[in-house]
Amino acid sequence: MHDQVQRYYGETLTRSADLRTDACCDGAAVPAALKPLLAEIHPEVSERYFGCGLVAPDALEGLRVLDLGCGAGRDVYLLSRLVGEQGEVVGVDMTPAQLAVAERHRAYHAERYGYGRSNVRFVEGRIEALGALGLPAAGFDLIVSNCVLNLSPDKAAVLAGAYELLAPGGELYFADVYGDRRLPAALAEDPVLYGECLAGALYWADFLALARAAGFSAPRLLEARPLAIEDVQVADKVAPARFCSATYRLFKVDGCDGGAADDGYTLTYRGSVPQAPEVWTLDRDWRFRTGQPVAVSSHIERILRASRFARHFAFDAGGGDPHEDVLAASDPNPFATAVACQSASCC
Ligand SMILES: C[S@@+](CC[C@H](N)C(=O)[O-])C[C@H]1O[C@@H](n2cnc3c(N)ncnc32)[C@H](O)[C@@H]1O
């Protein structure tokens, strides 16, 4: 399976336009603030972008970031800019042809950003064996990945390895493709179906279970969009399954059951995340308006208290005294909430 994927991304595809579906293609509307930063990225790197979402959360200044399956490095270089010169970004990928493109533009980006030295490095290797790559245990504040987990034959090992490399309170923030059902194993033998990020896609509910088994907090859904499969042959082979691209955030925080029980906790956002002066977004269901107290579950309270966002909130511990209102539960099913992208924001 690794060889098949390596050939697909090292030889079959040379640019985003070679894709046969819009699965591995970014349909996320890019926030205005990021557009000029993406425009700064070297064209050869951008041309070989095969992501399916935007993996640029906020509050990144100074962070140590790891990108799993970084490809030619588009997200690595975007994050390099966002973490600033004091931050660090490491990209891991198993395909030498992709890494060669990424590697040859390190100096270009450091110079473009005005950094004294590059804050980026690339490591060749498989993401199922992160422990063998010499990366520091608990050494990353944020791990991102863009349209890669579906390509791995051992997704549980990837999630477990990511958990080990995250510092306590750290976050896995990633975009990937999911199915609305489990797919027949035989489909994985088709190199196009697999390489196009369909045949290896997890049934979304299986992903939730795998994430919990790896130790993460219950996944929080940020965005979802249905995939369009315009190639009739490809569509016929995978029918009747439906697919969507979804972005989830998972935290390395103990004791998070994902429940929406109201134990009386209240949080007030200070408005201090630079990218979010008025409203800060945790996921699709939870937004925090500056200065407005919000009743939250103990699950959300724990995540935010342990994470890099803690200093941006005032916490009222509540002490097991429930509020009067019932809390809104978050729905992690991407098919329940998927919103088709506008053509202008799709690739
Ligand atoms: C769909 S592309 C996405 C690349 C990149 N994240 C982007 O957004 O352009 C998938 C990438 O994951 C890499 N990849 C797939 N399976 C891998 C594995 N098991 N270990 C390491 N890299 C892997 C491929 O080499 C390829 O570069």
Side-chain angles (χ1 to χ4, degrees):
M1 199 56 77
H2 285 115
D3 292 346
Q4 182 177 297
V5 170
Q6 216 164 322
R7 270 197 301 280
Y8 205 71
Y9 285 93
E11 297 165 25
T12 310
L13 302 180
T14 57
R15 55 184 57 209
S16 317
D18 295 338
L19 290 161
R20 310 257 302 265
T21 72
D22 75 349
C24 294
C25 195
D26 184 8
V30 176
L34 294 184
K35 283 185 179 158
L37 307 190
L38 287 173
E40 283 182 339
I41 290 172
H42 194 284
E44 193 188 10
V45 169
S46 298
E47 262 175 26
R48 291 189 69 107
Y49 171 64
F50 301 118
C52 55
L54 188 64
V55 290
D58 34 41
L60 294 180
E61 185 76 31
L63 261 52
R64 301 159 297 171
V65 182
L66 176 66
D67 183 357
L68 303 180
C70 62
R74 199 221 48 180
D75 291 330
V76 167
Y77 287 119
L78 176 64
L79 291 161
S80 156
R81 180 78 153 86
L82 293 169
V83 298
E85 194 166 8
Q86 302 313 315
E88 177 197 5
V89 190
V90 178
V92 173
D93 202 286
M94 68 175 182
T95 303
Q98 291 274 75
L99 285 184
V101 173
E103 190 67 50
R104 70 173 159 261
H105 298 298
R106 280 178 68 219
Y108 169 91
H109 289 96
E111 195 180 326
R112 181 108 205 205
Y113 301 160
Y115 296 170
R117 60 170 187 84
S118 175
N119 63 352
V120 159
R121 72 188 170 96
F122 295 100
V123 177
E124 187 178 325
R126 291 183 177 173
I127 57 172
E128 297 82 5
L130 290 169
L133 300 182
L135 300 168
F140 294 92
D141 309 299
L142 172 72
I143 297 183
V144 300
S145 185
N146 201 341
C147 224
V148 181
L149 188 65
N150 73 84
L151 295 168
S152 171
D154 189 350
K155 296 159 175 51
V158 178
L159 291 170
Y163 188 87
E164 288 304 312
L165 292 182
L166 274 178
E171 179 182 13
L172 171 60
Y173 184 109
F174 79 110
D176 205 2
V177 175
Y178 298 88
D180 67 346
R181 68 198 68 205
R182 296 188 188 110
L183 299 168
L187 289 185
E189 282 156 31
D190 183 319
V192 173
L193 291 189
Y194 201 87
E196 293 277 334
C197 302
L198 299 175
L202 278 169
Y203 168 44
W204 68 271
D206 286 346
F207 160 66
L208 299 188
L210 278 180
R212 298 303 302 278
F216 284 105
S217 62
R220 310 204 69 90
L221 179 65
L222 273 142
E223 284 181 8
R225 73 176 166 104
L227 295 186
I229 305 175
E230 276 153 21
D231 183 313
V232 179
Q233 280 179 337
V234 172
D236 281 353
K237 285 181 189 170
V238 296
R242 290 185 300 131
F243 297 87
C244 73
S245 152
T247 306
Y248 285 102
R249 68 194 320 170
L250 288 63
F251 290 87
K252 180 172 177 173
V253 177
D254 289 339
C256 282
D257 61 4
D262 182 351
D263 297 319
Y265 293 100
T266 301
L267 301 185
T268 307
Y269 175 49
R270 300 185 197 277
S272 49
V273 171
Q275 299 78 11
E278 286 165 20
V279 182
W280 182 76
T281 301
L282 172 64
D283 63 18
R284 265 188 102 118
D285 300 303
W286 287 88
R287 290 181 177 78
F288 297 86
R289 196 162 282 286
T290 298
Q292 246 179 43
V294 178
V296 298
S297 63
S298 58
H299 173 81
I300 291 180
E301 198 267 355
R302 276 188 191 212
I303 286 177
L304 293 181
R305 192 185 275 281
S307 74
R308 68 184 188 281
F309 301 107
R311 67 195 172 90
H312 300 291
F313 283 88
F315 292 82
D316 175 359
D321 187 13
H323 299 279
E324 279 177 18
D325 296 335
V326 174
L327 296 176
S330 296
D331 185 355
N333 175 359
F335 290 91
T337 51
V339 175
C341 55
Q342 302 301 309
S343 55
S345 65
C346 290
C347 54

